[in-house]
Amino acid sequence: MKVLLILAALSVAVIGKETFEGHQVLRITGKNEFQHSLLKDMAEMEHLQLDVWMEPIDLSTPVDIRVPFTSLQTVKAFLETEDIPYSVMIKDLQVMLDEEKEQRLSAARATEPRTTDDYDYTNYHNGDEIYSFQEMLVAENPKLVSKIVIGQSYEGRPLNVLKFSTGGTNRRGIWINTGIHSREWITQASGTWFAKKIVTDYGRDAALTAILDNMDIFLEIVTNPDGYNYSHKTNRMWRKTRKPNPGSSCDGTDLNRNWDAGFGTAGSSGNPCDQTYRGPKAHSESEVKSIVDFVKSHGNLKAFIDIHSYSQRLMYPYGYTATPCNDQRELHDLARKAITDLASLYGTSFRYGSVMTTIYRASGISIDWSYNQGIKYSYTFELRDTGRYGFILPANQIIPTAKEAWLALMAIMEHTKDNTN
Amino acid sequence: MTTGVLNPSHYPARRAATVVQHYLNTRYGSPYRWIFLSTVHSGSAEDVAEMGRKYQLELTMQEMISNVSGRCSAELLFPGGEGQSAPQVQASCEGLHQSNTTAQEEAFYQQHRASNNLASGNDIPDSYGHMEPSVKPFWQLGGVASSFIMLRESNESTLYNMAQVANFTQLETEKDQLRFNYHVLLHEMISQEIIHWKLLVTWSPAQGVQVLQTELQPKCRHCEAPPNTTN
């Protein structure tokens, strides 16, 4: 009893602090039942603010206790008075934590790329890493690449478009976007690869150089950044935006049913809980509206390519109607050429045709809107695979997928360059 | 509905062909034999009075593990009328069984039949498409078992694939059958929904894959997949 009063008398007001400066971790081995029960009572004294890390199982096992700096003298005096053996396991907990943190950070720094040449194209990256990639690409190629922020997502993320241009004023442009459906990770990964490919090939590859000497390329890699973040952190299979729907417990709108082309007709859903929910009205989602505004104000885009996965298809309008589009013949022939070029690399076979006949009726889709705006070369891709891995395509397929798709893109871009003015 | 000769590139033939794929997996699939549709060569569809719609298809199927391909002729009937009733399929294929899986299946069976080290796993593949090699046969088995559900649930307006094995747990071997509880995610292409099913699966080299119980998981509004181990 007297012992406990001593402890109580020596109590010191502990200042509430977040750090563990000067805290020690003591390993204490009670020699008998009496000592064990003293230790137990000591540990329960609130004013000492002791933190038991390891409870004793029996008489022979020690107890590990973290002791705040302000209680150290008291506790050690008590242990010595009672002749309870102890040793100092950690001399200063904060120092140890700081050292560990520094080790972790330097390990992390070692894996963070400093240039787009050390970026790992053979792996999937989160949204922040792709944003960093974009900054680096622009910094490394200031004469060729610039970044345009066309708007922001529902959760306030920037909607970044990379502009590849060798000059001129409002030249004809080619629009490419990836990641409109967040779970289609192969597309954002391919988009990143395409960006690097463009800067690598300009001045080296005759065909790409000719394209960029005459036209600009606009590439939006993370078209749905909120969904992408959600698919990394919470639900790998998330497709839509993250905007809540009033009156419903279900979130998100399908960005590829939100465009003003056959909006609200069969081929999209009016139920906010569905994966193909079209949204309350056309262009209700900022991620779509920003592209619409950009395209309209640019006024000189000649191709619009929206990239998805999976099922290995190259498709042209329409999705919302079975009526063939006016340029069906030409778009069909160009699609055939593009997928033939694609197959030449690894033999990957793609089917092609209009959205409606090839996959399903879908309304409010991007390429139907862009085509109706007068952008003739409007295509949508579905990249690898055909269902074995589906959305979760192994990372070792990123580069082959991007490389073969690039050949199809080149076919479309070249044809666009040669057939528009 | 398209009737008569079908365009092999268009969706009606493709959807019907995928149903044949599911059927073949229920008949011939195993942890080492998993069949996928490769090509639709030709097809036709017709209405059959009082019965539904009948398809005839010429296909090439590919076995994924051995890479062996085979030509198949198939006939399937999507029953008409009220209520959902499973499509009926007949198919004959050449060449698909060339892959000799006996040794691998037997080794896998022997390795897992003793109940002292029951296998389990989750998120197969993981978000990055990765899985440990030792887990691959369980993924393949999950795909084959899912085929029973996908076959049963298919109609002319669906296209199913297994998206992921959420988790599986091996149970005690019973009557010489390996037994598992599986939780799988199916992707339905037309609605784009991810549909969760739980299955009780048995397998042995002799008996093949059987699915004893299936349970549809409710489409929970705030369903989150368990956080994947990513950095």
Side-chain angles (χ1 to χ4, degrees), chain B residues 6 53 85 93 100-101 124 155 169-170 191 199 202 208 224:
Chain B
L6 299 176
R53 282 180 49 81
S85 122
C93 301
N100 194 337
T101 52
I124 306 161
N155 59 49
T169 314
Q170 186 180 2
S191 64
L199 331 170
T202 67
E224 336 267 64

Side-chain angles (χ1 to χ4, degrees), chain A residues 262-397:
Chain A
F263 180 83
T265 60
S268 65
S269 168
N271 181 343
C273 293
D274 287 349
Q275 291 302 313
T276 55
Y277 176 56
R278 64 179 75 108
K281 62 182 172 90
H283 305 173
S284 59
E285 306 308 284
S286 61
E287 296 85 350
V288 165
K289 182 75 166 56
S290 303
I291 302 175
V292 167
D293 291 344
F294 174 81
V295 168
K296 283 182 157 165
S297 80
H298 185 281
N300 204 19
L301 294 178
K302 301 297 178 185
F304 187 101
I305 302 164
D306 176 12
I307 302 182
H308 293 253
S309 78
Y310 59 95
S311 66
Q312 293 175 203
R313 287 183 167 103
L314 175 55
M315 297 175 286
Y316 48 80
Y318 288 113
Y320 76 93
T321 172
T323 307
C325 70
N326 286 336
D327 302 287
Q328 156 112 343
R329 178 86 270 149
E330 185 187 354
L331 294 182
H332 192 79
D333 291 343
L334 177 55
R336 182 189 302 114
K337 166 151 204 329
I339 61 108
T340 305
D341 288 354
L342 185 155
S344 71
L345 199 53
Y346 302 110
T348 308
S349 115
F350 268 54
R351 278 159 301 285
Y352 61 102
S354 71
V355 170
M356 173 71 136
T357 57
T358 311
I359 191 168
Y360 44 51
R361 183 184 292 263
S363 63
I365 70 173
S366 59
I367 64 165
D368 286 359
W369 176 84
S370 64
Y371 184 79
N372 285 349
Q373 291 293 304
I375 303 173
K376 190 198 315 190
Y377 300 105
S378 289
Y379 282 97
T380 183
F381 274 83
E382 296 274 1
L383 300 181
R384 290 192 193 182
D385 64 8
T386 56
R388 184 183 186 195
Y389 287 96
F391 298 121
I392 330 188
L393 195 70
N396 63 15
Q397 290 197 45

Side-chain angles (χ1 to χ4, degrees), chain A residues 93-264:
Chain A
L93 184 56
Q94 190 57 42
V95 167
M96 194 188 87
L97 291 173
D98 289 342
E99 273 167 14
E100 266 184 7
K101 183 176 175 187
E102 186 47 50
Q103 268 171 33
R104 261 199 329 270
L105 285 179
S106 82
R109 254 181 262 120
T111 56
E112 253 169 51
R114 266 162 295 151
T115 70
T116 62
D117 284 327
D118 15 89
Y119 187 86
D120 185 4
Y121 298 93
T122 66
N123 216 339
Y124 294 109
H125 294 267
N126 64 32
D128 287 339
E129 289 167 343
I130 298 180
Y131 282 148
S132 301
F133 166 84
Q134 291 168 345
E135 299 301 321
M136 288 190 294
L137 193 73
V138 170
E140 292 162 20
N141 302 277
K143 291 209 199 118
L144 187 56
V145 194
S146 58
K147 182 188 81 176
I148 308 171
V149 185
I150 60 169
Q152 54 180 28
S153 69
Y154 171 73
E155 287 174 348
R157 294 185 174 82
L159 300 169
N160 290 344
V161 173
L162 294 176
K163 175 183 180 181
F164 300 84
S165 176
T166 60
T169 317
N170 198 225
R171 280 181 175 170
R172 289 172 291 157
I174 293 163
W175 169 274
I176 304 171
N177 68 270
T178 53
I180 199 170
H181 288 141
S182 34
R183 62 190 179 195
E184 299 165 6
W185 284 18
I186 186 57
T187 71
Q188 296 96 336
S190 295
T192 308
W193 188 90
F194 298 151
K196 181 62 172 171
K197 178 70 170 163
I198 294 170
V199 307
T200 307
D201 275 8
Y202 182 72
R204 288 192 188 82
D205 176 80
L208 191 273
T209 304
I211 290 168
L212 270 182
D213 282 344
N214 290 281
M215 304 181 73
D216 296 338
I217 300 173
F218 297 92
L219 174 62
E220 185 177 6
I221 299 174
V222 191
T223 306
N224 179 3
D226 298 347
Y228 195 53
N229 175 65
Y230 197 72
S231 70
H232 277 266
K233 301 238 178 73
T234 310
N235 183 347
R236 176 63 178 84
M237 299 292 171
W238 191 258
R239 166 184 169 93
K240 302 189 285 180
T241 61
R242 291 298 305 151
K243 192 204 266 176
N245 294 303
S248 171
S249 57
C250 300
D251 301 327
T253 288
D254 184 342
L255 286 174
N256 208 26
R257 299 290 185 278
N258 189 242
W259 300 74
D260 194 10
F263 180 83

Side-chain angles (χ1 to χ4, degrees), chain B residues 160-179:
Chain B
Y160 280 100
N161 276 301
M162 180 183 77
Q164 192 183 37
V165 171
N167 62 61
F168 78 92
T169 314
Q170 186 180 2
L171 309 169
E172 300 272 324
T173 300
E174 229 177 71
K175 297 183 196 163
D176 293 329
Q177 306 300 303
L178 301 188
R179 283 160 54 96

Side-chain angles (χ1 to χ4, degrees), chain B residues 20 23-24 27 54-57 59 72-77 87-93:
Chain B
V20 176
Y23 165 78
L24 290 172
R27 291 296 305 275
K54 192 167 87 164
Y55 284 72
Q56 254 157 352
L57 299 162
L59 312 165
C72 299
S73 294
E75 215 173 79
L76 68 133
L77 176 71
Q88 293 159 31
V89 186
Q90 279 167 28
S92 67
C93 301

Side-chain angles (χ1 to χ4, degrees), chain B residues 3-211:
Chain B
T3 295
V5 172
L6 299 176
N7 185 326
S9 295
H10 291 183
Y11 70 73
R14 195 85 195 168
R15 287 180 198 174
T18 306
V19 176
V20 176
Q21 170 192 308
H22 299 320
Y23 165 78
L24 290 172
N25 280 313
T26 64
R27 291 296 305 275
Y28 305 113
S30 83
Y32 288 91
R33 186 180 281 129
W34 197 13
I35 296 162
F36 276 85
L37 172 66
S38 176
T39 315
V40 181
H41 298 290
S42 64
S44 65
E46 57 172 337
D47 286 305
V48 178
E50 315 278 305
M51 291 197 58
R53 282 180 49 81
K54 192 167 87 164
Y55 284 72
Q56 254 157 352
L57 299 162
E58 292 294 318
L59 312 165
T60 294
M61 292 286 180
Q62 186 178 28
E63 198 289 302
M64 276 295 144
I65 296 137
S66 62
N67 262 327
V68 166
S69 284
R71 224 19 218 242
C72 299
S73 294
E75 215 173 79
L76 68 133
L77 176 71
F78 287 110
E82 295 300 306
Q84 167 83 340
S85 122
Q88 293 159 31
V89 186
Q90 279 167 28
S92 67
C93 301
E94 298 167 352
L96 263 187
H97 313 315
Q98 260 165 43
S99 57
N100 194 337
T101 52
T102 316
Q104 290 162 298
E105 288 179 10
E106 200 49 49
F108 179 76
Y109 177 66
Q110 292 305 334
Q111 183 189 357
H112 291 285
R113 91 183 270 190
S115 299
N116 57 352
N117 198 3
L118 300 175
S120 66
N122 56 271
D123 298 315
I124 306 161
D126 69 13
S127 289
Y128 300 79
H130 174 76
M131 73 190 84
E132 290 301 305
S134 61
V135 161
K136 220 169 180 196
F138 296 106
W139 173 58
Q140 284 152 187
L141 177 59
V144 170
S146 294
S147 301
F148 285 79
I149 302 175
M150 298 193 287
L151 173 62
R152 194 182 70 199
E153 299 293 311
S154 288
N155 59 49
E156 285 166 291
S157 303
T158 61
L159 184 71
Y160 280 100
N161 276 301
M162 180 183 77
Q164 192 183 37
V165 171
N167 62 61
F168 78 92
T169 314
Q170 186 180 2
L171 309 169
E172 300 272 324
T173 300
E174 229 177 71
K175 297 183 196 163
D176 293 329
Q177 306 300 303
L178 301 188
R179 283 160 54 96
F180 305 89
N181 274 330
Y182 266 85
H183 179 155
V184 296
L185 273 54
L186 304 185
H187 173 229
E188 199 291 291
M189 183 75 78
I190 285 78
S191 64
Q192 292 291 351
E193 295 295 331
I194 300 291
I195 306 164
H196 294 241
W197 284 88
K198 285 194 167 162
L199 331 170
L200 177 58
V201 182
T202 67
W203 175 74
S204 69
Q207 303 288 348
V209 178
Q210 316 265 352
V211 172

